[in-house]
Amino acid sequence: QKEVEQNSGPLSVPEGAIASLNCTYSDRVSQSFFWYRQYSGKSPELIMSIYSNGDKEDGRFTAQLNKASQYVSLLIRDSQPSDSATYLCAVILGAGGTSYGKLTFGQGTILTVHP
Amino acid sequence: GAGVSQTPSNKVTEKGKYVELRCDPISGHTALYWYRQSLGQGPEFLIYFQGTGAADDSGLPNDRFFAVRPEGSVSTLKIQRTERGDSAVYLCASSGQGSSYNSPLHFGNGTRLTVT
């Protein structure tokens, strides 16, 4: 089992729809979780971080964390063509993971939002 | 202010050659990371510097890979006797002092290394 695993893509949604991206992780004591967006040929860009169970909203983005199920998700409401990118889930594995940012990434999910 | 700068943006080398990849972090950032990203995969951790010292080099795949940060700012990733399997995008990231709560990683645009 991979340490951080994302739902297989690619994912295609129509403009205006909700895009749902999912991620599971293997180390149950992990505390820090991130979603990065990566446009083709560009570097990863942090869009959300979440540390506590529940939902965290930022504009059209909502991150959801369930530590009991070892599951973190990202919802994108009112999807736009400009949201088309690869979305990377990243976890700082282990309980002491707030001392520095050694991220373990999932393989990424390619999202396409079509007009 | 400038972001994380990586040079060169592209590097093509022959199998067996030596290469150096440079990273110039955001000014004042004490933490610096190197990651490697293969096609269709997420970035994979290589090494982390806090200041001048390598605090965690557990991700370096073998002893052909080495990185330095002599003055606590610019870092160089060095790869000896390159192999075709080393072909990937090498990403550098930096962050300020503090925990992940308030010091997110800022990535550079990477160096695309191709070993022929």
Side-chain angles (χ1 to χ4, degrees), chain B residues 74-97:
Chain B
V74 171
S75 176
T76 304
L77 178 65
K78 308 180 181 192
I79 311 174
Q80 297 177 322
R81 305 183 304 280
T82 51
E83 299 177 356
R84 292 194 181 89
D86 298 335
S87 297
V89 175
Y90 288 81
L91 293 165
C92 178
S94 70
S95 70
Q97 280 188 314

Side-chain angles (χ1 to χ4, degrees), chain A residues 2-81:
Chain A
K2 290 183 180 178
E3 292 177 307
V4 180
E5 208 152 356
Q6 296 184 235
N7 55 321
S8 58
L11 177 65
S12 180
V13 301
E15 185 173 357
I18 295 175
S20 177
L21 304 159
N22 303 315
C23 175
T24 56
Y25 58 95
S26 60
D27 189 338
R28 64 184 302 109
V29 300
S30 299
Q31 301 293 322
S32 305
F33 308 89
F34 308 87
W35 283 99
Y36 281 80
R37 177 176 62 199
Q38 188 174 29
Y39 292 114
S40 182
K42 299 296 184 183
S43 60
E45 170 194 12
L46 180 66
I47 52 174
M48 290 287 282
S49 59
I50 187 166
Y51 309 100
S52 303
N53 277 328
D55 294 1
K56 179 182 178 183
E57 188 174 316
D58 184 359
R60 296 186 296 112
F61 298 96
T62 299
Q64 299 174 316
L65 175 61
N66 183 326
K67 291 183 181 179
S69 300
Q70 294 171 232
Y71 174 94
V72 57
S73 66
L74 180 70
L75 300 178
I76 307 174
R77 291 183 301 281
D78 188 23
S79 295
Q80 302 297 309

Side-chain angles (χ1 to χ4, degrees), chain A residues 38 43 51 98 100-103, chain B residues 33 35 37 56 58 99 101 108:
Chain A
Q38 188 174 29
S43 60
Y51 309 100
T98 58
Y100 70 97
K102 179 181 178 180
L103 301 173
Chain B
Y33 309 78
Y35 285 80
Q37 187 172 24
D56 183 346
S58 61
S99 74
Y101 290 88

